[in-house]
Structure formats: C-alpha cells, structure tokens
Amino acid sequence: MPAEDDFTVTPYAVEGDIDYDRLLDKFGADALTAEQKAKFPDPGHPLVRRDVFYAERDVDPFLDAANEGKPHSIVTGRGPSGPMHIGHIFPFYFAKYLQDQTGTLVYIPFSDDEKYFLKDKSLGEISDYTRENLLDLLAVGFDPERTRIIVDTADADVVYPLATAFAKEVTQSTVDATYGEPENIGLSFYPAVQATHLLLPQLVEGRHPTLVPIAVDQDPHVRVCRDIAAKQRYDVAKPGALLSKFLPSLEGPGKMSSSDDAPSILLSDDRETVFDKIRTHAYSGGQTSLKEHREQGGNPEVDVSYQFLYYFFEESDEQVERLAREYQQGSLLSGELKEMAAENIANFLEAHQERRRALGPLEEELEQYRLTESERQDARRRAGYPDNSLVQQ
C-alpha cells in the first residue's frame, strides 16, 4: 500500500502516481457498477463502457429520470485560464451525447473569476481566454433550447446573489479542510460560487436530479455543494457526480495540463502538429529495440497513444481490444500505434475546427444560450430573494 502522501489530488493540484481506488476511500465516493453503466442510454458511451468515468455519487436518480423522460440536468464547466486541449473537451462531448439521447438539460458555467483568483494572469488575459474557450464550447453543437452557458462576471446579477445566500452555509474551517488554506479571499469565497453553478439548473427549473461529470480532482466542489443542499433550506436535491480518471499527459501517466511544461494537444492544433507531438512526445509502452518488442511485447496500460484511443478517440471496443492484444503480443509496434492515435485525433480536431469556423460572431452565437430574464428571476426567487428585490431592477 503506497504511503498516504505518495500523491496529491485537489482542485488546485494533482501530483504523483494516482491510486484511483484509494481516492474512492479518501473522498467517500462509490465505484460505478455494471448495473449503473447499463442504465446509460444506448449506444453506451466509451467513457462509461471503459471505466474512464469510474466512480459516482447518487448517479441513479439522474439515470432513472433520463430513462423515464423526466426532468434531469448536467452541469459541466470550464475555467478559462488558457487554450483548451483534448483533455478539457471530452466531458462536453459526453454531455452532448446525453443531450442527444435523452434531452438532458446542460448547464455550462465559466469560472473566469476563479481563474483570476488562482492564476498569475490579468483580467484582460482571462477575458481573452474566455472568449476563445466559449467558441470551442459552442463548436460542440449543443441544442440552444436545452443548454445554458453562464459566465460568472458577465452573469453576476444571478451568480452573486445566489453565491451570497450559499456562502452563509459554509464556514471558513470547512473551506480550509477541503481545499487547504486559500491564497486569497476570492478563493475562500469561491466554493459558494461553485455551489451556485451546481444548483442553478434546479433553481431555474425546479427540483430535479442533476449530475456533474468531472475529473476526480474536482470532487471537493461537489461535496461542499451537497452539504449545502442537505441543509434543506432550499428546495433542491443534492447533485450527483460522475468522476473520471485523468487523460494522461503525452509524457506519461498523469493529468494532461496546459499550465505546466508537459506538451498538450490543443484544440487548435493542425494535423501536422498533432502528428509531430505524438511522434515526438507520446510516452511509449514498447521495448527499447524492435527485436525485444517482437519477443516481449508492449504495455498498453502505460502507452499514451493507446490510452488516447482507449479513453475517447476510438469508438469501437473490438478495435481497442485488438490493439491491446496485438501490442502485448509484439505484432503491433509503438510507431504504428502512434500513427493510429495521431490520425484519429487529427480527424476529430479537424471536424471540431470546421464547426468552430462556421460560427458567427461570438455575441450573436452566445445570446441564444444565455439565461433569460425570467429564468434569472426564478433562480433568485428560489434562493430566497423577494420579488421586489433591487437586484431584479
């Protein structure tokens, strides 16, 4: 059993060789069962089938509502501190899959305020990244009738009143114990803003099951929000969570990040750049020589090219199983596996980029996804603000 401090997983730091099973015990979450996976709508998504989403909190009410045609929603957000890479985008394509299959209501909060508190970047830089990230999210192709995008600073008229209400439910000691001592009072307050994000669909639409599909490092936000919801001062259900493993860095197992020195495959990368990054940087699970690889085979568990295909970029289960088998046998070479991964990723990015180029001006595109004035009033009212509140004027 590894020592307790062999790895760190928090919303603000991921370090070390992560033991995902131990995280379940540490965070108090449950493994996603075969029965639960079978309740996801057909065709089942690879992220669920292959245990990339491997743990959960109260996922059953969401799945029951989705299968019965009852109201249900997903919240999956973005912190705009840099350009988006492939590790950022797959939760949004997963949300679109659910929306396409079951009519899921999708809420996408942009925490531009948190990124300003957290990163050494100017307000102007955060604003520029917000605009670019928004275009990438719009390129996913969500249904405007079933999707709402909220930018904290642009939608402060609804975010701040709700966060004010929820902030009174969270003590500083809870923040310190959950996140560590905050670097500034903005981060100290941010859990109340995050709770606003996660409860907003219910405050707009009324009580219903909400699911938050996130990487496991973001689970503390869900736990704090669930504590707020459990106090029953608001007519909301505790949001459920679907927790994922990390898409690995090109340099090997671990979290892909755009904020460190490890190379990332950006959503803006062209085909040549994708192939160059994969060929040059993708960590290989193969042997050091062709002869040894033919004799001993490779290890798909650590091979980054295989992991990219397994996580998201190869739809066919039969294909990923065949690739793993042939790689272990030594008949499939590391270079061949890299070419397959690069081809699939480049194809995906070209389709995404084409949809992005087809968008109109951001302000016009975004308008159809913003909360309406009646939705804003409903949210404030359900949070306890009277109809004659000045915030509505």
Side-chain angles (χ1 to χ4, degrees):
M1 178 70 68
E4 190 67 29
D5 59 355
D6 278 356
F7 64 88
T8 299
V9 177
T10 76
Y12 305 133
V14 177
E15 300 171 352
D17 188 9
I18 300 162
D19 185 326
Y20 288 104
D21 291 332
R22 279 184 58 218
L23 273 181
L24 294 188
D25 294 333
K26 184 176 180 180
F27 287 174
D30 297 312
L32 193 66
T33 67
E35 292 77 12
Q36 289 169 327
K37 289 191 286 186
K39 291 168 68 175
F40 280 85
D42 290 330
H45 198 280
L47 292 171
V48 174
R49 297 198 309 263
R50 298 172 192 165
D51 293 325
V52 179
F53 281 117
Y54 81 111
E56 57 86 23
R57 296 181 185 278
D58 282 348
V59 72
D60 291 299
F62 173 88
L63 292 172
D64 291 341
N67 287 319
E68 295 168 8
K70 295 179 180 179
H72 62 288
S73 63
I74 268 187
V75 179
T76 183
R78 169 70 186 139
S81 61
M84 294 183 70
H85 59 61
I86 56 175
H88 293 138
I89 201 64
F90 72 76
F92 298 100
Y93 277 95
F94 175 74
K96 184 179 186 301
Y97 141 79
L98 285 172
Q99 187 175 75
D100 290 344
Q101 297 300 316
T102 68
T104 305
L105 181 64
V106 176
Y107 271 57
I108 305 173
F110 267 66
S111 55
D112 55 340
D113 49 353
E114 181 209 23
K115 292 308 174 186
Y116 178 66
F117 301 145
L118 187 63
K119 303 292 184 178
D120 185 20
K121 298 184 186 298
S122 69
L123 288 170
E125 288 176 301
I126 297 295
S127 178
D128 289 342
Y129 285 132
T130 298
R131 295 180 65 85
E132 290 300 310
N133 291 180
L134 281 167
L135 289 169
D136 274 318
L137 266 295
L138 292 170
V140 174
F142 291 104
D143 176 3
E145 297 297 318
R146 306 289 301 161
T147 308
R148 291 293 178 264
I149 298 175
I150 302 93
V151 180
D152 284 349
T153 57
D155 293 296
D157 64 311
V158 64
V159 171
Y160 183 75
L162 304 187
T164 300
F166 300 145
K168 196 171 183 178
E169 312 290 348
V170 184
T171 66
Q172 187 62 47
S173 61
T174 295
V175 174
D176 294 347
T178 305
Y179 301 96
E181 186 175 345
E183 296 180 9
N184 53 61
I185 60 173
L187 288 176
S188 189
F189 181 75
Y190 184 72
V193 178
Q194 182 73 349
T196 298
H197 295 162
L198 304 188
L199 297 177
L200 190 55
Q202 296 187 69
L203 294 171
V204 171
E205 301 288 339
R207 186 185 181 106
H208 65 260
T210 298
L211 186 66
V212 187
I214 48 173
V216 68
D217 61 326
Q218 300 300 303
D219 182 62
H221 291 317
V222 177
R223 298 202 306 269
V224 171
C225 181
R226 285 169 60 85
D227 287 345
I228 292 172
K231 294 180 180 178
Q232 299 181 343
R233 299 184 189 181
Y234 314 95
D235 187 18
V236 293
K238 292 191 292 186
L242 195 60
L243 306 178
S244 81
K245 300 174 183 177
F246 299 120
L247 186 70
S249 162
L250 282 169
E251 293 185 337
K255 180 183 180 183
M256 176 172 280
S257 175
S258 56
S259 59
D260 56 27
D261 294 332
S264 301
I265 299 176
L266 304 179
L267 299 187
S268 58
D269 284 346
D270 60 21
R271 179 172 292 269
E272 181 179 355
T273 302
V274 171
F275 272 81
D276 180 65
K277 286 183 176 180
I278 292 288
R279 289 167 178 164
T280 305
H281 299 289
Y283 183 86
S284 170
Q287 304 301 325
T288 56
S289 71
L290 177 60
K291 181 177 182 296
E292 288 177 336
H293 187 85
R294 293 296 192 195
E295 293 175 350
Q296 301 175 32
N299 181 3
E301 295 293 325
V302 299
D303 190 285
V304 168
S305 296
Y306 177 80
Q307 291 299 311
F308 283 177
L309 293 168
Y310 182 88
Y311 269 53
F312 188 71
F313 294 102
E314 174 52 59
E315 173 64 31
S316 169
D317 291 342
E318 291 76 13
Q319 174 74 338
V320 294
E321 290 168 4
R322 181 182 68 81
L323 293 176
R325 182 171 62 253
E326 292 180 357
Y327 197 52
Q328 290 168 330
Q329 293 170 348
S331 58
L332 178 64
L333 304 179
S334 297
E336 294 171 329
L337 198 52
K338 286 186 176 186
E339 296 298 298
M340 292 179 190
E343 179 71 19
N344 283 23
I345 294 171
N347 290 343
F348 169 85
L349 290 181
E350 285 183 346
H352 178 88
Q353 292 161 9
E354 183 177 353
R355 289 192 297 273
R356 176 172 163 151
R357 285 192 297 269
L359 295 170
L362 175 59
E363 286 75 13
E364 295 179 9
E365 295 284 353
L366 185 60
E367 184 62 30
Q368 59 188 329
Y369 294 92
R370 299 196 68 186
L371 290 166
T372 67
E373 184 53 39
S374 63
E375 289 170 340
R376 293 166 190 266
Q377 291 183 15
D378 286 343
R380 292 187 292 250
R381 175 176 52 80
R382 288 192 174 99
Y385 284 86
D387 291 340
N388 63 351
S389 173
L390 290 174
V391 78
Q392 297 183 22
Q393 300 177 12

